[in-house]
Amino acid sequence: MSGVINFIKKEVLLEWRQRYAINGILLYLVSTIFICYLSFNVKANQLNPVTWNALFWIILLFTAINAVAKSFIQEKEGKFLYYYWLIKPQTLIVARILYNALLMLILAVLGFVMYSLVLGNPIHDPLLFVINLLMAAISFSSALTMISAIASKANNNQTLMAILGFPVILPMLLMIIKISKNALDGIERSASYDEMLTLLAINLIVGAVSYLLFPYLWRS
Amino acid sequence: MRKPWWKILTVLLLLYVVVGGLLMEVPRLVILNETIRALYFHVPMWFGMILMLVVSVVYSIRYLLRSDTVNDDFAIEFANVGVIFGVLGILTGMLWAQFTWGDWWSGDPKQNGAAIGLLIYFAYFILRGSLDNDEQRARISAVYNIFAFFALIPLLFILPRLTDSLHPGNGGNPGFNAYDLDSRLRMVFYPAVIGWTLLGVWIATLRIRIRKLEQTIE
């Protein structure tokens, strides 16, 4: 456990020292939002809620794939070997999932602020929406971290990251979009409990499978 | 499995299913009419697909426990047959939907779920294609196969139950059990499931033997 915390601290420190990586992802997010805003060519709050919702989550999905891909794909070979001697694979995958969840949460919140600034904010239940953002960050990270580890072993790994990731993340994304739509419409909270529970269950399954499988991937 | 009796059984069962399934009496129901015969061809595809994919995952797990190339051959070939069954399942389902729901693709949760499920396995094939080293390909694709399979379960079994679906057996629509009283359907349905599944196993074993031959030649 302390190993996990130490590793996360190390990752945050590294990220802070070479800020270009996180700045790059942030700029990617902001540019995408701005492109969407200009392409739709509408004034704030004129987008229909369904479009607003779908567009927001698609932008976040692509940002997530780019942000999480970084965690294994852009790592140097030597560093892998170094980790291999230093820590257990289980520690590494848990730490990476938590770290990516944190990163995704920051990106999601910043993205949401920027998005609602230019495209309006039709949300009727902000608390549910924020809880949903948190759950989405964890979901994206739990599914994509393992995928990025798999893709890092192959040749054309950026494309592979996307095609391996999309179908796996889709069930989660559908749940997230549905909860988010409920928050937008301000429907009673109890209407979203089923989806939240399912999302949590899928997360547990994916997390557990990642935890069990990662050591096998690690050996190569 | 080397004895030929089960292959003869497969041929006989499928002959019976094709002839009996198209010619024998079926219950007369509104809207469904003759399309109820899809039960003999569409539903067994999904049974077959799930079974093949389960076998594939079991062999992937066995590969991770003991690195034996034979396990990898089993995993990939059963996944191949499973996906063929899945594609046929989608096509027969679309044909059926055209006559009952009035559209080839109406975005029903079952249809979407099946399509996403196939995407997962297409990605699995691409992943295999992009790894050069044999040993590495076997292990990494085994990892993805297991990972993808567990991501697929919620898709196929949980999601359609959360949303409204027009598919028989969902959202208050009568499923197979509603026709329980009618044993005429069962007389062909059970042989159909067994027959199509055996055919899948047959194809897979043939392809595994081809792989073994290729490996010995090399």
Side-chain angles (χ1 to χ4, degrees), chain B residues 44-59:
Chain B
M45 289 301 143
W46 296 116
F47 277 77
M49 182 192 85
I50 297 288
L51 204 71
M52 299 295 146
L53 295 183
V54 168
V55 171
S56 171
V57 164
V58 168
Y59 276 99

Side-chain angles (χ1 to χ4, degrees), chain A residues 143 146-147 150 153-156 160 163-164 167-168 170-171 175 178 198 202 205-206 209-210 213 216-217 220, chain B residues 64-65 116 119-120 123 126-127 130-132 136 139-140 143-144 146-147 150-151 154-155 158-159 162-163:
Chain A
M146 184 66 183
I147 294 291
I150 293 174
K153 303 282 179 191
N155 298 333
N156 57 343
L160 214 54
I163 56 171
L164 295 179
V168 172
L170 249 165
M175 294 290 111
K178 201 150 179 221
T198 315
I202 303 177
I205 295 173
V206 170
V209 176
S210 301
L213 287 179
Y216 292 100
L217 202 65
S220 51
Chain B
L64 288 187
L65 296 178
I116 300 167
L119 280 185
I120 290 184
I126 302 230
L127 175 67
S130 61
L131 291 159
D132 299 324
Q136 203 184 24
R139 195 176 52 251
I140 291 167
V143 168
Y144 183 71
I146 300 167
F147 190 68
F150 284 100
L155 201 71
I158 302 173
L159 292 194
L162 276 183
T163 38

